[in-house]
Amino acid sequence: MTPHSDTGPRAGPVHVHGIVRSGFRPRPGLTGVGGGAVLVVAEGPLAALVSAPYGPRGACGPPDAPGDSRADVSVLSAQAAAEAHRRVVDEAAATVCVLPLRLGTVHRDVEQVRRALADRADLYRRLLTRLDGRLEWGVKAYADDAEPDGAAGSGGATAGGTVGSADGLARAAHHALADAAECSRVHHPQDACPSGMAAACATSAYWTSPIAGAPYPHGRNLLDSAYLVPREEAGAFAETVGGLVARSPELHIELTGPWAPYSFADPGRLPDLPD
């Protein structure tokens, strides 16, 4: 018989924060979405970090697959829910490899969590292996709103080798950072924020910008990307960002992280995923 965790809730819907390897124990007193204690539900070599209770029993139906179901979080503060989800995932990521699930991933009960772990065990194991020892860094670049469209040139390189426009500088910055990372993801507006969570996304650093090109505190957002970087190469990556800041005074460049690999939990975004 497959060994099960004895730390999980016994009944009712649970919010699933992320997947880790069995044996991890969260900090005592850590709470998740809805204020419930964070517990571990294990199935073989894998475990899910869950919080419960999450509303009345039967509040949500069974998901088609882990990560595909959304709970109605309208009864909660959207910002509080996003911050609680992030807190649980990032605390785990500080010490172990964690595969984040999307905010609002809810299962009907603990047994459904265990079935999900068993059904997707091979994929989860491969993702954890690929992401082990790696964290996500975010980079955003902004242009001065006062710059008129096209005023800086066409975006091509000048005679001195400097990209003329702010857009061109942002593209060049991304290419330089992508070369310094294992893989990268450029966020698009439609991918920026889960439906109904705009308020939380706007205040939570790990979500991407809700609307690309909209006004920001530092001007127009030209680049909003995530980069997967091994822990031991974090210093070198930060130096690359610092060099871009020095060479690109036309841009305001922000580095955030390290985060759990939120942007790379989908196998389609990871090259060289182990078979």
Side-chain angles (χ1 to χ4, degrees):
M1 179 178 295
T2 304
H4 291 163
S5 169
D6 59 0
T7 64
R10 292 292 179 256
V14 293
H15 185 285
V16 186
H17 297 272
I19 309 298
V20 295
R21 296 182 177 94
S22 289
F24 173 76
R25 291 293 178 267
R27 170 178 59 84
L30 180 62
T31 58
V33 174
V38 175
L39 306 169
V40 176
V41 176
E43 178 70 21
L46 300 173
L49 300 177
V50 308
S51 57
Y54 192 92
R57 181 175 175 82
C60 53
D64 295 331
D68 293 337
S69 176
R70 304 292 193 278
D72 180 3
V73 296
S74 61
V75 296
L76 303 173
S77 161
Q79 180 176 345
E83 292 299 326
H85 182 73
R86 178 190 59 79
R87 180 175 60 249
V88 172
V89 172
D90 286 340
E91 278 207 22
T95 55
V96 299
C97 184
V98 56
L99 177 64
L101 298 187
R102 295 177 182 177
L103 176 63
T105 298
V106 176
H107 288 286
R108 184 171 50 201
D109 52 32
V110 168
E111 288 307 312
Q112 190 175 58
V113 174
R114 288 176 176 141
R115 286 195 297 272
L117 289 172
D119 290 345
R120 307 194 90 187
D122 180 63
L123 175 61
Y124 286 158
R125 284 196 301 267
R126 290 188 291 125
L127 285 169
L128 286 169
T129 297
R130 177 64 178 84
L131 294 170
D132 200 12
R134 296 157 176 85
L135 292 171
E136 175 176 329
W137 292 84
V139 175
K140 296 183 181 182
Y142 306 88
D144 187 347
D145 276 331
E147 178 185 300
D149 290 341
S154 64
T158 65
T162 303
V163 178
S165 70
D167 290 315
L169 286 171
R171 286 193 297 271
H174 168 65
H175 291 316
L177 293 170
D179 288 341
E182 286 193 354
C183 52
S184 62
R185 181 188 174 197
V186 177
H187 294 295
H188 300 289
Q190 64 268 26
D191 298 328
C193 185
S195 177
M197 296 299 295
C201 294
T203 56
S204 297
Y206 78 93
W207 291 119
T208 60
S209 307
I211 305 173
Y216 284 77
H218 306 297
R220 291 183 299 120
N221 183 219
L222 300 179
L223 176 66
D224 190 346
S225 297
Y227 303 90
L228 189 67
V229 180
R231 290 179 188 267
E232 65 273 14
E233 296 179 16
F237 184 80
E239 287 182 3
T240 300
V241 176
L244 290 169
V245 171
R247 296 193 302 272
S248 309
E250 300 90 340
L251 299 178
H252 180 95
I253 298 176
E254 291 184 348
L255 172 66
T256 61
W259 311 109
Y262 294 96
S263 299
F264 303 97
D266 186 324
R269 296 171 184 148
L270 282 170
D272 305 321
L273 186 65
D275 290 333

